[in-house]
Structures are given as structure tokens and as C-alpha cells.
Amino acid sequence: MTSESEASPPPASKRFARGLLETLAIIVVALLISTALKTWVVRSFYIPSESMMTTLQVDDRVLVNQLAHRFGPADRGDIIVFDDPDHWLSAAETAEYTPNPVLEFIGLAPADSGNQLIKRVIGVGGDTIRCCDAEGRLLVNGELIDETYLDEGTAPSEVEFEVTVPEGHYWVMGDNRSNSADSRYHMDTDPFVSEDDVVGTVFLINWPFKHFSWVSTPDKVFADVPDTAEGLSGN
């Protein structure tokens, strides 16, 4: 016998409505969190060209830490994603990008991928970079660099140059040196990337799964580089 104090269960229609509202609330919260993450923390980026091979392969998907540059400048050796600084990309290249509104909305693809590039930081503000010495090696502030991330037999550069990076900027190069339209090829306009144009630092290859790996900065490569170019003329 049911006590009069016991409440009768709500009808099925009310239970369904309540469940639907709870589901919608979860979806809304999830979308808000996803939007916040892709706006401020982590963003996905795909590799459209061979310029960073073989570190990054064509069509790899990488995750970019967008908070890193908010707490300080990038380090030498970091792989960064940045907005096109001075029309480095041609109209034909930007037109090749096909946006995916669904992936962009949930944060798995950036909304402006067609106007962004990915390269490795070789020099930071104040650095003097020269290539090449008599043996074809790269120097940063007079220190010879052994770029272990380059494929065996890859020359540091087939283009000779010597530049001093302005404060608040970077000199960037692709790991596939013979197939990378990086800072070296924009000497007649503006070869440097402003810190303000940096989207973030690559930290993970997340697709395809067989390429899944962390992307770390090769600290040992630049460990002996002095902070300034003092004494450069003596090298």
C-alpha cells in the first residue's frame, strides 16, 4: 500500500523533457569549453606543404600551444605557427586551402589556416645569423650550429646570407631547406616574423596516429649560442 506522503513519479513526458534539457545543457557547456580552448589554449593546424619535412609530413595534424607566446617569446629551435607577415603566401597558395566549417567550429581546424605558416625559429631578437662558413655550416652569434633535426646530407642553406634580427622578431626557416620559402626568400621585403604574428608553438603531432609524437625544442642544438653577437667578427 502506497503512503500518501510518497510523491508519485513524474509522467514520462516530463521525464523526457527534463532529460532533453540536461542533454542540451551538457552540449552547450561542451561547446563553450571547446570554444574557449580553441580561442585561448590549444588549436589544431594541418601541414600543407613539404617545407618542414621530415620533422612534419604533408597532411600531418599538429596541436599548437597558444598560451606559450603569451608568457614569453619563442626560443631558438621552437616550431611556431604564425600569420603571414608580409604576403609570403601567394594568392594561389591561399586559394588552395579548403575550409571545413564543422572542424573550425569545434576547434579541430583554425578558421584562418589559409593565411598561416609553420617554420622553425632559428634566430630571436638581437641574434646575428650567417650562412655559411667555409664548410657550409650555419652560425648564430658566431656559434656553429649542428642542426640535428635536418635530414642527413641536407645543407643548412643553399642561399648565403647574414642578418641581424630586430628586437621583437624572429628569423625562421623550414627543416626542408631546399623546399621552404622562409625568411631567406623575403630579403627584399621583410624576412622577419613579428612576435605579434605568432599564433603558438607546436607541441604534438596528433594525426595520423602512426605519426603521433611529442614535438620538443632541441635545446642542445642552440645550447652554446651566446645571447649577443659580441665577438662575431673574430669567427
Side-chain angles (χ1 to χ4, degrees), residues 152-226:
E152 185 176 355
T154 298
S157 179
E158 296 175 358
V159 177
E160 294 188 357
F161 62 88
E162 182 169 356
V163 297
T164 297
V165 185
E167 293 296 335
H169 291 75
Y170 305 112
W171 175 271
V172 298
M173 298 169 71
D175 289 356
N176 189 0
R177 295 294 162 79
S178 62
N179 189 14
S180 177
D182 47 44
S183 290
R184 297 169 295 165
Y185 295 92
H186 300 279
M187 298 289 289
D188 57 339
T189 54
D190 186 0
F192 306 107
V193 176
S194 170
E195 291 179 1
D196 294 335
D197 289 331
V198 175
V199 175
T201 304
V202 176
F203 71 93
L204 180 72
I205 303 172
N206 65 319
W207 190 261
F209 189 73
K210 63 182 179 180
H211 294 167
F212 188 92
S213 60
W214 295 101
V215 178
S216 58
T217 301
D219 295 329
K220 292 183 179 180
V221 174
F222 298 92
D224 296 329
V225 174

Side-chain angles (χ1 to χ4, degrees), residues 17-33:
R18 185 169 61 187
L20 181 61
L21 288 174
E22 291 175 350
T23 301
L24 289 175
I26 292 172
I27 292 174
V28 170
V29 171
L31 288 175
L32 289 174
I33 293 174

Side-chain angles (χ1 to χ4, degrees), residues 26-44 66-67 70 101-111:
I26 292 172
I27 292 174
V28 170
V29 171
L31 288 175
L32 289 174
I33 293 174
S34 174
T35 300
L37 286 174
K38 74 177 183 178
T39 301
W40 302 107
V41 184
V42 175
R43 182 176 289 189
S44 178
Q66 297 183 106
L67 290 178
R70 299 179 187 275
V102 175
L103 293 181
E104 291 175 0
F105 181 74
I106 62 177
L108 294 180

